[in-house]
Amino acid sequence: MKTTVKVTRGPGGWGGPFTVQETETRKVVASITGGGIHPLAQKIADMLHVPAVDGFKEKVEPDTMIIAIVDCGGTLRCGVYPKLGVKTIDTHPISPSGPLSRYINEGNFVSGVVEDNITLVESAETDTAAEEVPKAAPVTKAAAETPAASSKGMVGFITNSGRAIGSVVNIFYQAGRDSVEIVLKSILPFMVFVSIMVGIINYTGVGNVLANAIKPLAGSLPGLLGLSVFCAIPFLSPVLGPGAVIAQVIGVLLGVQIGKGTIPPSYALPALFAINSQVGCDFLPVALTLAEAEPETVETGVPAMLFSRLITGPIAVLVAFLLSFGLY
């Protein structure tokens, strides 16, 4: 009898419920959250009696994952592992969003999960039906011979031209649908979020209080360099990165103060780079996995790229400061 764990959505979450268990090929619980192995990943691993692996320290092949735990704010990681056929837990209470949202469904994704949403189920049945990748339908002989049976001459030319034009039109049509979906599910919610933040800051007067705290950093080049280094600290950058939530909040605060004249407009561009030194740091192990990097490359590449931000972050601020001359 195999041990089975049931996962349900948390407060304000989406998706699920579904069950997971060890199989002949899937034998690890992957934590891709930064800051070590997430407590949810460790609890599931302990319940299933399998190892929990930190995806930031070593490469984990998707086909060996029982489940992946991410802390994505709704940008990309939330859809990467469902696309790869791996059931996914997002610690943030989000609904399907981002460019890969079409791969997310209630059978492979659940969000807002806390430890109380993980329960043990004893079952003799192996939960493999949802893990099997559907095989492509075999090409029949009749289907394979269809192109060869097409008409020749002028009629064939017109027919083939029509098919080619239709194929191009369909590509553009689908691209338009995807663009509208991304705008509705990702860009517009972000704009609403920014608008709400600005309204709260202006109404409550919090901006005046924060202006005095932010001005020493955002109102001078040394302060922006220090802010850039802080955001790029290797053990902080993967935690600050998910969903770019921290950068969004700080960016709104800085934008309001620049609009009020508290901070000189000339610092807008370098401030943008200063608060975004951590961008992408939470996605490094996923990117290396998708690039089919060797385990040794992941083990050395992730820390190397994280530490490199301590150098490239301040350099980006300096370049932006130089390029900002004459812009305002």
Side-chain angles (χ1 to χ4, degrees):
M1 180 178 294
K2 290 188 176 182
T3 303
T4 304
V5 169
K6 182 178 181 180
V7 184
T8 58
R9 73 183 71 174
W14 185 93
F18 56 67
T19 59
V20 293
Q21 63 181 195
E22 180 185 8
T23 67
E24 294 182 358
T25 57
R26 301 183 183 272
K27 297 183 177 295
V28 299
V29 174
S31 177
I32 305 96
T33 55
I37 296 176
H38 195 278
L40 288 177
Q42 190 61 60
K43 180 175 181 179
I44 295 175
D46 293 341
M47 296 173 71
L48 294 177
H49 307 290
V50 297
V53 181
D54 184 355
F56 275 82
K57 291 184 177 180
E58 55 184 290
K59 179 182 179 181
V60 188
E61 294 291 347
D63 56 2
T64 65
M65 298 178 184
I66 299 174
I67 194 169
I69 290 80
V70 302
D71 56 350
C72 179
T75 48
L76 190 59
R77 273 185 301 158
C78 58
V80 168
Y81 292 103
K83 179 182 178 182
L84 296 175
V86 181
K87 293 182 178 180
T88 304
I89 290 177
D90 196 328
T91 59
H92 295 293
I94 67 167
S95 57
S97 61
L100 300 179
S101 60
R102 62 182 179 275
Y103 298 104
I104 299 175
N105 57 62
E106 294 183 345
N108 61 17
F109 182 84
V110 64
S111 65
V113 179
V114 296
E115 294 192 21
D116 292 339
N117 298 121
I118 302 173
T119 57
L120 188 64
V121 178
E122 294 294 339
S123 175
E125 299 180 359
T126 304
D127 183 24
T128 58
E131 297 176 353
E132 294 180 355
V133 178
K135 296 182 179 179
V139 179
T140 62
K141 183 177 181 181
E145 293 177 351
T146 300
S150 59
S151 302
K152 298 181 179 180
M154 181 59 67
V155 176
F157 173 76
I158 296 175
T159 301
N160 293 333
S161 299
R163 289 175 180 173
I165 295 173
S167 177
V168 173
V169 170
N170 287 334
I171 292 174
F172 281 102
Y173 176 64
Q174 184 60 42
R177 294 177 59 186
D178 292 342
S179 299
V180 171
E181 184 177 2
I182 292 175
V183 169
L184 292 176
K185 292 187 177 181
S186 299
I187 297 178
L188 289 181
F190 170 72
M191 296 174 65
V192 172
F193 166 76
V194 172
S195 300
I196 292 175
M197 288 295 299
V198 173
I200 293 175
I201 291 171
N202 290 332
Y203 180 78
T204 61
V206 175
N208 296 327
V209 177
L210 294 176
N212 296 326
I214 295 177
K215 188 174 180 179
L217 293 177
S220 65
L221 181 59
L224 290 175
L225 291 173
L227 180 61
S228 175
V229 171
F230 176 80
C231 292
I233 295 176
F235 64 86
L236 284 179
S237 54
V239 180
L240 298 176
V245 175
I246 303 300
Q248 291 173 15
V249 174
I250 298 177
V252 170
L253 297 176
L254 293 177
V256 172
Q257 299 310 313
I258 292 173
K260 290 183 175 181
T262 307
I263 298 173
S266 58
Y267 287 104
L269 186 60
L272 174 65
F273 285 90
I275 65 176
N276 284 286
S277 297
Q278 80 288 348
V279 170
C281 289
D282 59 315
F283 192 70
L284 293 179
V286 182
L288 290 173
T289 299
L290 293 177
E292 299 182 355
E294 297 293 333
E296 295 79 7
T297 303
V298 176
E299 293 175 7
T300 58
V302 171
M305 296 176 73
L306 292 178
F307 276 101
S308 70
R309 292 299 179 90
L310 291 172
I311 301 174
T312 59
I315 291 177
V317 174
L318 288 173
V319 173
F321 178 75
L322 295 175
L323 295 178
S324 65
F325 291 147
L327 292 179
Y328 308 96

